[in-house]
Amino acid sequence: MLDTGPISRTELADRIGVTRSAITQMMASLDRFGLVEEGPARKGGRGQPARPIAVRGAAGYSAGISFSHGYLDAAIIDITGTERAYQRRFLQEPTPDAVAQGAADAIAAARVEAGIGDQELLGIGFALPGDFRVDMRLFQAHRYFPAFDGLDARAWFQNRFPERIFVENDGRTCVMGERLAGSGKGCSDFMAVHIGHGVGGGLFLHNRLYRGAHFNAGPLGTFFPLDQPRPSGQDLLETLRVSGIDATDFDRLEQIAEEHGDVIGQWCDRAGRQLAPYLRHVANFIDPSFIVVGGRLPAPLLQRIVTATGLPQQESPQRFAGQSPVVIPSKLGARAGAIGAASVPILSLLHQEPA
């Protein structure tokens, strides 16, 4: 029901292969816990109009935190992935202490905006720029965030918040957000490219986040050497600075795009051309339904990058092995970071994994 939205009991019974009476019993149990609700009756058929059932969004809420060099975003979503509040705070410096304090302030304000008071959250997700060491769950931070390097981030934030804490690489929070609330909603097999400080990404395979043997699956950054132009958001900021344009962080990009569309457009076209051959190669290996291009950039920039790949944006009626992958832009735009982080506790609850 999270994927389909409101659905009749008969349709749901057919979908999962049980009797309608079994569905009625299941829904009665879920209703006792306040997890489902009935929608308005559907007319047009014979007999009593069907009343579709849906997951009740207010059954649970989750918070997510995403940050960059100079700002932090916080989102609260309900259990269906619907955004209920969004807050931004500016950071003097991107240190663990500053992020924890900014997160606490932003979540407090988001609670008020969402109207949920002190209602318990399912958890708080943190999207971290970097990866994890292969031998232990210590964070191997992006070079622009040295204060986070070697940190046991989950334990560190857990000591500062009463809610259950989830930490994940920002590329993988991106794919989680797309699965719950974005372009990947309802899809069991797809890939996301995260254009942020690096060229990250995530894999959602067999309806699960695929982390890999060492928790680092998904990024495409190794295809693009650090000493050459690359399709990363940080490269875009550097390109703008070289052109004499004040680009301190990603939160400036919407305004800059209005004033310097030619420079940004040229970068987007180059980034799309760079991504295209590697998206084809990766798609041949994992055969995703489609690839979502998202990250820290505004939606119009993501659309231009996707167009510049030259890859199809919708599936052909006839599919065959080796065909170019379908590539689409994120529906979440620059809000994908915090919404993706907030999606992690919800999807972790619904799809529990071994410790």
Side-chain angles (χ1 to χ4, degrees):
M1 291 185 289
L2 279 175
D3 294 335
T4 64
I7 186 172
S8 73
R9 290 170 173 79
T10 300
E11 291 172 312
L12 185 58
D14 291 341
R15 181 179 288 264
I16 64 177
V18 299
T19 64
R20 193 181 185 286
S21 60
I23 288 293
T24 299
Q25 294 175 359
M26 292 178 193
M27 292 306 107
S29 298
L30 293 174
D31 185 51
R32 284 197 293 272
F33 291 100
L35 296 176
V36 294
E37 58 188 2
E38 287 190 335
R42 293 178 181 171
K43 299 180 181 180
R46 294 182 177 180
Q48 188 75 13
R51 297 184 66 87
I53 50 177
V55 174
R56 181 172 170 266
Y61 300 93
S62 175
I65 300 294
S66 175
F67 62 92
S68 186
H69 310 288
Y71 68 95
L72 171 149
D73 288 334
I76 288 181
I77 62 174
D78 67 27
I79 200 170
T80 67
T82 301
E83 179 187 316
R84 295 302 185 97
Y86 204 94
Q87 292 282 324
R88 172 164 290 177
R89 294 292 183 272
F90 293 100
L91 298 174
Q92 291 293 328
E93 54 181 347
T95 64
D97 282 315
V99 168
Q101 185 59 58
D105 294 343
I107 290 174
R111 282 180 172 277
V112 174
E113 181 185 345
I116 63 172
D118 59 355
Q119 181 173 333
E120 184 177 359
L121 297 174
L122 297 173
I124 302 174
F126 283 83
L128 302 182
D131 261 310
F132 296 93
R133 283 181 51 177
V134 299
D135 54 342
M136 61 188 72
R137 291 282 284 179
L138 297 182
F139 194 58
Q140 187 172 327
H142 188 282
R143 65 187 187 279
Y144 288 101
F145 300 90
F148 279 85
D149 199 48
L151 184 72
D152 184 344
R154 195 206 66 79
W156 197 91
F157 284 114
Q158 190 63 77
N159 288 334
R160 287 155 179 81
F161 290 88
E163 296 86 359
R164 185 180 177 189
I165 297 298
F166 298 77
V167 298
E168 194 56 81
N169 159 277
D170 54 5
R172 287 182 287 280
T173 59
C174 175
V175 79
M176 297 281 264
E178 296 297 337
R179 176 62 181 84
L180 182 65
S183 300
K185 192 176 182 69
C187 184
S188 61
D189 292 88
F190 70 99
M191 172 183 174
V193 177
H194 181 267
I195 299 178
H197 300 98
V199 191
L203 303 171
F204 213 83
L205 304 177
H206 299 296
N207 217 25
R208 293 287 190 280
L209 175 68
Y210 179 72
R211 291 188 174 89
H214 304 109
F215 305 99
N216 290 320
L220 298 177
T222 54
F223 292 125
F224 307 100
L226 293 174
D227 60 349
Q228 298 179 25
R230 60 204 310 262
S232 72
Q234 196 65 47
D235 183 86
L236 171 57
L237 296 180
E238 296 296 337
T239 299
L240 291 169
R241 291 188 191 116
V242 169
S243 300
I245 301 168
D246 180 22
T248 54
D249 212 338
F250 299 107
D251 59 337
R252 292 262 298 134
L253 288 178
E254 287 193 32
Q255 179 182 346
I256 292 172
E258 295 177 0
E259 301 170 355
H260 304 280
D262 54 341
V263 178
I264 287 187
Q266 290 170 15
W267 183 90
C268 290
D269 292 343
R270 186 255 288 170
R273 292 192 299 269
Q274 285 184 294
L275 284 170
Y278 298 104
L279 298 185
R280 288 193 185 96
H281 294 324
V282 172
N284 280 334
F285 274 108
I286 63 173
D287 189 28
S289 295
F290 50 80
I291 299 172
V292 181
V293 177
R296 297 181 181 272
L297 308 188
L301 276 63
L302 297 173
Q303 178 62 69
R304 181 146 183 175
I305 292 170
V306 167
T307 300
T309 66
L311 298 172
Q313 297 183 44
Q314 58 185 5
E315 188 169 311
S316 169
Q318 293 183 331
R319 295 290 295 167
F320 53 85
Q323 189 169 356
S324 295
V326 173
V327 181
I328 58 178
S330 168
K331 293 180 179 179
L332 303 177
R335 300 167 90 88
I339 292 175
S343 300
V344 175
I346 294 173
L347 289 178
S348 297
L349 174 67
L350 297 176
H351 304 296
Q352 293 188 10
E353 301 175 1

